[in-house]
Amino acid sequence: MAMAQVRDVAALAGVSPATVSNALNHPHRVSARTLAKVQAAIEELGYVRNDAARQLRAGSNPAVGMIVLDAANPYFTDVAHGAEQHLAELGRPLLLGNSAQREEQELTYLRLFDEQRVAGVLIAPVGDVLPKLRTLKDHGTSVVIIDRKAGADEFSSVSVNDEQGGWLVADHLIDQGARRIAVIGGPGSLRQVRHRLHGTQQRADRTDGATVEFLDTGAMDTASGRETVQRLLERPRDEWPEAIFATNDLVALGALQVLARAGVEVPGEIMLAGYDDIEFAASATIPITSVRQPSEEMGRQAAELLRQAIEDPAAAVQHTVFQPELMVRESTSAH
Amino acid sequence: MAMAQVRDVAALAGVSPATVSNALNHPHRVSARTLAKVQAAIEELGYVRNDAARQLRAGSNPAVGMIVLDAANPYFTDVAHGAEQHLAELGRPLLLGNSAQREEQELTYLRLFDEQRVAGVLIAPVGDVLPKLRTLKDHGTSVVIIDRKAGADEFSSVSVNDEQGGWLVADHLIDQGARRIAVIGGPGSLRQVRHRLHGTQQRADRTDGATVEFLDTGAMDTASGRETVQRLLERPRDEWPEAIFATNDLVALGALQVLARAGVEVPGEIMLAGYDDIEFAASATIPITSVRQPSEEMGRQAAELLRQAIEDPAAAVQHTVFQPELMVRESTSAH
DNA sequence: CTGAAAGCGCTTACAG
DNA sequence: CTGAAAGCGCTTACAG
């Protein structure tokens, strides 16, 4: 509890508190002799700066807050990792929050970041957070949106062309002979889900007899995938889809578990595709066809756009759109 | 930038700043009428409290910092999730840091948390952080250690009996007929790795002809697992081990990828076991035998021990030790 | 290059 | 129940 303060350091070093502060924050303003004395005093007392006081006086918090949809999804840990690396280079700590696809959690973190007056926020949104993001901007916090272009006029963004991703999957499935396609994922309100579904539908519309059915899983995790496919298999055999397209790989893995347990042959009886191309999709019991997104690169780019927005809040917003890539594996191609 | 402050709220509500503060922090001290006026003013101005100022004056930060070894490992996301849930119930935000098994990163986060004067820290340590943890404690920050009992006299901890886990795996592998066992994981300095190896060795010592060889992968991820097993397979065929025990599932999944690519039969030619029992181990190409740890429960318990330590810093330290459980799957048991 | 003074935005005793 | 005053620990102009 013997918390040393600047004044203790100053006293021990035989200088003023202002000089200690300068030694800490603007070392070039201080003579080498003084700097050495101050550093020795800091060392001896084990002085650790009080961040709250520094922030209050300096009027800014260098940290960046990030909110992801699911901290347990390797796709998001990769995006976060990319962002963290770039931010570390900029000397900005990253505070990571997990909304777990819950609007309430999302708002809790946004409020926390607002109260902390962080320099910037990176967010993959669940709910309609635009009003809250505008508030943050009003308060001097820059914002970059990950995974969607909504609010396009106001905030820079990094995203992947999800409609094209859906199209690529549908094109492949139809090419493999599937006509009845079930798209599973959710909640349906999630932009990613809507766009991937839309792309699938658009491709299906081009082929006679191709139909798309959407089953809302409610969430994007393995448990939700299991439950949904469980229900699907309770239908009469001739009402099963020929292919299941899960809007992310966790849902696909859950689906695969249920299909395997039920003895359904993949891809023989039902083809299965996922999205995100997480490592575990390629390592699954039956390797899963998926859509690759440059996750780490997306995180880096989001951090870079944020850097630019922080540097010049009046600058024009920018949108980086990455292209998805289909990774074909055993779950859809019987060879 | 029209950042409203308490004084603006006070002016609009026609009360003093002190009353606004009371309305915010001790609503029961304020009349219903006043409370309503203050809340209306807060609403109208979009007032958001300045956390740095609050913390400075209040002298404490309710948040808790957590440092995990690998934010991309589902085991740690589960532990973090358990901790986050319990802390949320206590009204304490969780700040999550990822050391990525790097001592430098670990110290960076510890310094950040120290500067922020967080109420507590949960840490799964990489390096020798005891001196730094003592400093934190001196500064009034409570500490709970996850996954090890080092510093047992000074800090409460939550851990799993890793030696027993290693023993369980070895016992099973030997039972399945394996004698030459390769343990892969790393760095060897990591307590978890040492203990799991030690348990393996102890069991092997009881069986004639059973030998244990340790291969340091340097890190605990899939890439490290791949590289190590790649090198292993370059040995003459008759120098291959009969079983590989990876000290976590990510390493095991990496190992499995290389074995599959090389056409090595698992478990026929080489058995494979992992640790942590992450969901993806059970869903792998060949479902992987693993050791289950109650990850979420560990996180909750760590948060609970922290709560107690924060409440009474002078209380005796406590150690919760969970028991591991072997999950036998196809990767070690032919058919 | 160094220091005395002021003040960041809150909350906490204390008095009324 | 409410308010005037002080002060949390630092950094920022400013003067020397």
Side-chain angles (χ1 to χ4, degrees):
Chain A
M1 277 313 200
M3 276 266 59
Q5 304 186 359
V6 269
R7 63 161 170 261
D8 303 317
V9 175
L12 183 61
V15 299
S16 76
T19 297
V20 172
S21 176
N22 277 326
L24 239 32
N25 302 300
H26 311 283
H28 60 278
R29 291 190 194 161
V30 160
S31 77
R33 235 178 78 73
T34 304
L35 193 58
K37 280 193 300 182
V38 170
Q39 282 170 339
I42 286 175
E43 190 72 21
E44 180 164 347
L45 296 175
Y47 170 72
V48 176
R49 166 174 70 184
N50 182 321
D51 209 46
R54 192 189 59 74
Q55 254 168 239
L56 175 57
R57 181 60 238 243
S60 71
N61 181 349
V64 166
M66 179 169 192
I67 303 175
V68 296
L69 285 175
D70 179 5
N73 184 337
Y75 166 69
F76 282 111
T77 57
D78 283 356
V79 175
H81 190 236
E84 187 184 26
Q85 282 192 322
H86 190 43
L87 290 168
E89 289 162 12
L90 303 171
R92 295 188 179 279
L94 178 70
L95 308 176
L96 187 61
N98 178 20
S99 71
Q101 289 191 40
R102 295 178 46 206
E103 298 192 33
E104 183 197 323
Q105 282 277 353
E106 180 171 53
L107 287 174
T108 299
Y109 276 111
L110 284 174
R111 183 155 19 86
L112 179 70
F113 293 153
D114 198 0
E115 290 179 355
Q116 299 199 161
R117 306 290 193 270
V118 295
V121 164
L122 300 173
I123 180 170
V126 209
D128 178 24
V129 289
L130 273 172
K132 185 70 187 159
L133 297 183
R134 289 194 189 106
T135 304
L136 277 161
K137 200 178 176 187
D138 275 352
H139 293 178
T141 295
S142 299
V143 174
V144 169
I145 296 180
I146 294 172
D147 253 7
R148 88 167 179 188
K149 266 168 71 184
D153 314 334
E154 301 163 76
F155 305 105
S156 290
S157 73
V158 168
S159 60
V160 175
N161 189 331
D162 279 316
E163 307 214 337
Q164 195 193 336
W167 175 288
L168 287 173
V169 170
D171 190 57
H172 170 66
L173 293 174
I174 289 171
D175 191 52
Q176 294 290 313
R179 287 299 174 271
R180 301 183 45 207
I181 300 173
V183 175
I184 67 174
S189 58
L190 215 58
R191 193 206 52 82
Q192 290 88 330
V193 173
R194 286 203 319 275
H195 284 200
R196 290 167 197 175
L197 173 61
H198 190 231
T200 307
Q201 185 68 60
Q202 290 206 304
R203 176 58 189 83
D205 289 347
R206 293 207 162 195
T207 297
D208 275 351
T211 63
V212 176
E213 170 187 22
F214 174 61
L215 298 173
D216 196 322
T217 56
M220 298 283 261
D221 50 30
T222 50
S224 305
R226 279 194 297 267
E227 286 158 24
T228 300
V229 173
Q230 193 74 62
R231 283 200 312 277
L232 193 61
L233 294 185
E234 284 164 11
R235 296 181 183 177
R237 176 71 180 77
D238 61 356
E239 290 176 23
W240 287 3
E242 289 146 14
I244 294 174
F245 169 25
T247 55
N248 87 2
D249 284 339
L250 296 182
V251 173
L253 283 162
L256 183 59
Q257 289 165 14
V258 170
L259 292 170
R261 202 180 306 145
V264 177
E265 267 176 50
V266 177
E269 292 181 86
I270 298 181
M271 301 180 201
L272 177 66
Y275 210 102
D276 289 347
D277 192 37
I278 64 175
E279 186 166 22
F280 305 116
S283 306
T285 329
I286 293 167
I288 300 175
T289 292
S290 192
V291 176
R292 175 170 295 178
Q293 312 192 78
S295 44
E296 275 209 29
E297 178 58 22
M298 289 173 70
R300 286 194 78 85
Q301 176 64 8
E304 172 58 20
L305 292 181
L306 188 64
R307 181 188 71 71
Q308 295 175 21
I310 291 170
E311 229 162 61
D312 179 9
V317 304
Q318 298 179 61
H319 302 290
T320 304
V321 180
F322 290 95
Q323 294 308 308
E325 184 187 354
L326 184 70
M327 308 301 292
V328 174
R329 302 205 178 87
E330 200 182 317
S331 71
T332 59
S333 66
H335 77 120
Chain B
M1 275 313 200
M3 277 266 58
Q5 303 187 358
V6 269
R7 62 161 170 259
D8 302 318
V9 175
L12 183 61
V15 298
S16 75
T19 297
V20 173
S21 176
N22 277 327
L24 239 35
N25 302 300
H26 310 283
H28 62 278
R29 291 190 194 163
V30 159
S31 77
R33 236 179 78 72
T34 305
L35 194 58
K37 281 193 300 185
V38 170
Q39 281 169 340
I42 286 175
E43 191 71 23
E44 180 165 346
L45 296 174
Y47 169 72
V48 176
R49 165 174 70 187
N50 182 322
D51 207 46
R54 193 190 59 75
Q55 251 166 243
L56 175 58
R57 181 58 238 242
S60 71
N61 181 350
V64 166
M66 180 170 191
I67 303 175
V68 296
L69 286 173
D70 180 5
N73 184 339
Y75 166 69
F76 282 111
T77 57
D78 283 355
V79 175
H81 190 238
E84 186 183 29
Q85 282 192 322
H86 191 43
L87 290 168
E89 290 162 11
L90 302 171
R92 296 186 178 281
L94 179 69
L95 309 174
L96 187 61
N98 178 20
S99 71
Q101 289 191 40
R102 294 178 47 207
E103 298 193 32
E104 184 196 323
Q105 283 278 353
E106 180 171 55
L107 287 174
T108 299
Y109 277 111
L110 284 173
R111 184 156 16 87
L112 180 69
F113 294 152
D114 199 359
E115 289 179 357
Q116 299 197 161
R117 305 290 194 269
V118 294
V121 164
L122 300 172
I123 180 170
V126 210
D128 177 23
V129 289
L130 274 172
K132 185 69 186 161
L133 298 183
R134 289 194 189 107
T135 304
L136 278 161
K137 199 177 176 188
D138 276 353
H139 294 177
T141 296
S142 298
V143 174
V144 169
I145 296 179
I146 293 173
D147 253 8
R148 88 166 179 187
K149 268 168 64 184
D153 315 332
E154 300 163 78
F155 305 106
S156 289
S157 73
V158 167
S159 59
V160 175
N161 189 330
D162 280 316
E163 306 212 338
Q164 194 194 336
W167 175 289
L168 286 173
V169 171
D171 190 55
H172 170 66
L173 293 173
I174 288 171
D175 190 50
Q176 294 291 312
R179 288 298 175 272
R180 301 184 45 207
I181 301 172
V183 175
I184 67 175
S189 58
L190 216 56
R191 192 205 53 81
Q192 291 87 329
V193 173
R194 285 202 320 273
H195 285 200
R196 291 167 196 175
L197 173 60
H198 190 231
T200 307
Q201 184 68 62
Q202 288 205 305
R203 175 61 188 82
D205 288 348
R206 294 206 162 196
T207 297
D208 275 352
T211 62
V212 176
E213 170 188 22
F214 175 62
L215 298 173
D216 196 322
T217 56
M220 297 283 263
D221 51 29
T222 49
S224 305
R226 279 196 296 270
E227 286 158 25
T228 301
V229 173
Q230 194 74 63
R231 281 201 313 277
L232 192 62
L233 294 185
E234 283 164 10
R235 296 180 183 176
R237 177 69 180 79
D238 61 356
E239 290 177 22
W240 287 4
E242 288 145 12
I244 294 175
F245 170 25
T247 55
N248 86 2
D249 284 340
L250 296 181
V251 172
L253 283 161
L256 184 59
Q257 290 164 12
V258 170
L259 292 170
R261 200 179 308 143
V264 177
E265 268 176 51
V266 177
E269 292 181 87
I270 297 182
M271 300 178 202
L272 177 65
Y275 210 103
D276 290 346
D277 192 36
I278 64 176
E279 185 165 22
F280 306 116
S283 306
T285 329
I286 294 167
I288 300 175
T289 293
S290 192
V291 177
R292 176 170 294 176
Q293 312 193 77
S295 43
E296 276 208 29
E297 177 57 24
M298 289 173 69
R300 284 194 79 84
Q301 176 64 8
E304 171 57 19
L305 291 181
L306 188 63
R307 182 189 70 72
Q308 295 176 19
I310 291 170
E311 228 162 62
D312 179 9
V317 304
Q318 297 179 60
H319 303 289
T320 304
V321 180
F322 291 94
Q323 294 309 307
E325 183 185 358
L326 185 70
M327 309 300 293
V328 174
R329 300 203 180 89
E330 200 182 318
S331 71
T332 58
S333 64
H335 76 124

